Amino acid sequence: MNILQILSNTLAQILAPATLGYVLAAIGLSVHFGFAGLLNMGVAGFMAIGAYGFAISILTFGLPWPVAVLIGLGAAVVFALIMGIPTLRLRGDYLAIVTIAAAEVLRLLFLTSAFRRQTGSADGLSGFQSGFRASNPLPPGRWGFGPWTYQSDQWWVIIVGIITIAIAVLLVWLLMRSPWGRVIRGIREDEDAVRSLGKNVFSYKMQALIFGGVIIAAGGIVTAMGTNVNPNVYVTSQTFYVWTALLLGGAATIFGPVLGAVLFWVVRAFLSNLLPALVDIGWLPFLTAEQSQMLVFVLVGVALMLLVIFRPQGILGSKKELTFVR
Amino acid sequence: MAIIRTSHAGRSPSRAVSLVLAGLFSVALLFGLAAPAAADTTDDEGGESLPFTISGNVRSGGEPVEGAEIAASNGDFEGEAVTDDKGRFSIGVPTKDGTWTLVLDEDSLPSGVSVPDDFVFEQEVTFGNTSTVTKNFTLGAAERSTVSFFDQLLSRTVNGLNFGLMLALAAIGLSLVFGTTGLSNFAHGEMVTFGALMALLFSAGVGLPIWLAIPLAVIVSALFGLGMDAGIWRPLRRKGIGTVQLMIVSIGLSLALRYVFQMGIGGGTRQLPGGTTAVIPGLGPIRLTMTDVISMGVSIVVIALFAWWLMRTRIGRATRAVSDNPSLAAASGIDVDAVVRVVWVMAAALAGLSGVLWAYFRPGIKWDMGTSILLLMFAAVTLGGLGTAFGALVGSIIVGLLVEISTLWIPSDLKYAGALVVLIVIMLFRPQGILGRRERIG
């Protein structure tokens, strides 16, 4: 068992495109659930629409990548409107069911062979990053330090991702201490009270749904910049993983989603490197290497249960601002 | 959360959790024992030693072609395979880079297979993100294009009814649990899978005949429901945890259970014994097997029994009372906890039975088979009216019909999407569902 290799793989995960994407998705979800109390179970759908909007704009329509990014984000706005209009007037769990259904519909649309030309069907899309890579101002070659040694193109994805995360964190922080943010939190605590103050609750909820949705879609786009786009990634489980990441860090906090998403991936990478190694040296005699990978997901599920039961406010949250009000 | 909190609310939740974990691992152990008994269906020829696989099938007029030779090459490496009795082939290749050329050998085709004039024997494939890629050769049009629209509609309707009844078994339980406890149980799909897996364990694993294995599986499913209520949900209710938190706990449980199942049976598909694919003759365009008929019969009888239980028995009446208003029911002397326990047992037993039927309908048992219909169950429950048992029945049949009949117009890989789109549209016009009452939507 090579402990150094395991640690190196684990630490490298911190800057992987998937981690950066999850950080953004968790920030967006914190706007939805943490601050506005909206039960968005369609996180994977928002990420998928960002990623596919970005990739299809480039591959099918030949647009430059900054325009493609805007189209990906715009598609998320439309998606939020479609889901919000029927459900935001209803009780919270209706939004949960509709968002999870809409995300699955989207995935099936990306998966069907009827639109193979545009979506690549089950194979997904690849080869759309060349424009983005051409805009890379960094010196070519492979550089970095320790576990964080990447190709120049990968560094470009990481830097763009981190800048996006910084902007998202700043925006959420500014908005949540503004009057708008106070109304949003008021809606989370008691919708009727806010309504009695003359605020248009529906409109505020819709704005929160769109704002958070755009951040989640940005997460999808950042992931797509670094890797290929594949419909099997955007399954319902991905939504649940982002929820786990958010609840781990703290739903109603600014830095909670960042910490939660990074921790989620680091622990996951650590376990999926460590457990097969333990199987190899015979410390887990009742498992095969393949089964030990599944054990990681069992542990994720158990962790989610324990987290919600024993520390629903997350690592950074305070018990006073508990988002589970209903 | 309207279940009344009792004064001795402090039953240690960590004990509950350890109970659950113990349960999970005992299930895992059971599967570990059962695993060698049943054969794995992923039988790749020569594909084991090479990391990447090109697979697919060769069909002619909807029927598999056996013994056709396929060659794959990318310039450096050349691999060959012969299709099996199901028309499948699979070629192991050392790398996924570049473009692979697949050639179907025309001379190897058995006599009697007609080849269209414009058929392309050479196809190009490239790997995506995964280590496998699929390419199919279809010789000639499938047979069904000759069936008239009306015949197809009739056939799909019967299929849809079958699927809907099976879905109803599962959805009724989901709806009852929601009605009595307010929990949107995302782990309900795993209860469906559990029933099918238990049937597999008792039949293929232990070696019991299937007519004994299925009732046993339903009983074990009921015990599973009882265990989940006692181990997780009752302690959490006593702790006074909100419904949204409970919902997320059920999501965690669903993830954990699903992967425990996968650890048990792997990623492949297993078949339950006793299924027959022979179509009953004399029904015209309707293609029904004996398994389908028995499945529908069982569904109808069980649903009728359930309806009688809910409407006529004391405990059924109490269940409806708790569903209506838990506080008022408790105040009039109904033991809410006991009712909820019975509801969990019923829901799990129905879900388990539905899992067995679903295994025959799909066909096959897979670790995520329950999850794949979870959203359809939610759609059915919402369509019929959240928390109403008969609404779930009506909603399920509508969803079942919709899923099957919609394939007349949309590609069959989008058939679940159609049902879910209808769910979203229903939200716009009648959010309380067909049999629901306006007040429930708050």
Side-chain angles (χ1 to χ4, degrees), chain B residues 257-386:
Chain B
L257 282 176
R258 204 182 314 160
Y259 282 98
V260 168
F261 293 160
Q262 200 190 359
M263 284 169 79
I265 65 161
T269 305
R270 300 277 180 77
Q271 296 296 341
L272 273 181
T276 156
T277 49
V279 177
I280 299 173
L283 288 176
I286 304 169
R287 295 171 62 87
L288 273 182
T289 65
M290 205 56 214
T291 316
D292 290 333
V293 174
I294 294 172
S295 163
M296 281 168 97
V298 168
S299 301
I300 290 170
V301 168
V302 170
I303 289 171
L305 278 176
F306 169 80
W308 172 81
W309 174 82
L310 194 67
M311 302 311 287
R312 289 276 177 258
T313 62
R314 249 183 104 74
I315 185 85
R317 226 168 289 157
T319 305
R320 282 184 290 140
V322 174
S323 223
D324 255 11
N325 188 334
S327 316
L328 195 60
S332 25
I334 294 173
D335 184 351
V336 173
D337 248 9
V339 167
V340 169
R341 190 156 54 232
V342 171
V343 162
W344 269 105
V345 171
M346 293 283 285
L350 289 175
L353 178 61
S354 140
V356 175
L357 301 184
W358 176 224
Y360 282 119
F361 186 83
R362 291 183 68 224
I365 293 176
K366 220 175 156 217
W367 60 286
D368 62 349
M369 60 184 271
T371 315
S372 66
I373 53 164
L374 179 71
L375 286 181
L376 291 184
M377 286 188 249
F378 271 118
V381 168
T382 318
L383 202 61
L386 274 177

Side-chain angles (χ1 to χ4, degrees), chain A residues 91 94 112-113 237 291 309, chain B residues 239 258 263 413 427 440:
Chain A
R91 211 177 44 198
Y94 278 87
T112 177
S113 46
S237 302
Q291 284 174 324
I309 298 171
Chain B
K239 211 172 170 232
R258 204 182 314 160
M263 284 169 79
D413 52 0
M427 287 286 159
R440 282 196 182 274

Side-chain angles (χ1 to χ4, degrees), chain B residues 146-222:
Chain B
T146 58
V147 182
S148 80
F149 177 82
F150 180 76
D151 286 354
Q152 274 195 59
L153 184 68
L154 199 65
S155 165
R156 300 282 162 88
T157 306
V158 174
N159 250 333
L161 205 60
N162 189 4
F163 182 50
L165 285 168
M166 185 217 80
L167 199 63
L169 286 177
I172 285 171
L174 187 66
S175 187
L176 268 186
V177 167
F178 179 84
T180 49
T181 67
L183 165 69
S184 306
N185 182 19
F186 277 78
H188 204 78
E190 275 56 50
M191 288 156 71
V192 170
T193 317
F194 184 83
L197 286 175
M198 284 300 118
L200 181 73
L201 177 73
F202 288 126
S203 59
V206 179
L208 296 175
I210 192 72
W211 55 266
L212 191 63
I214 291 175
L216 266 178
V218 173
I219 291 168
V220 175
S221 295

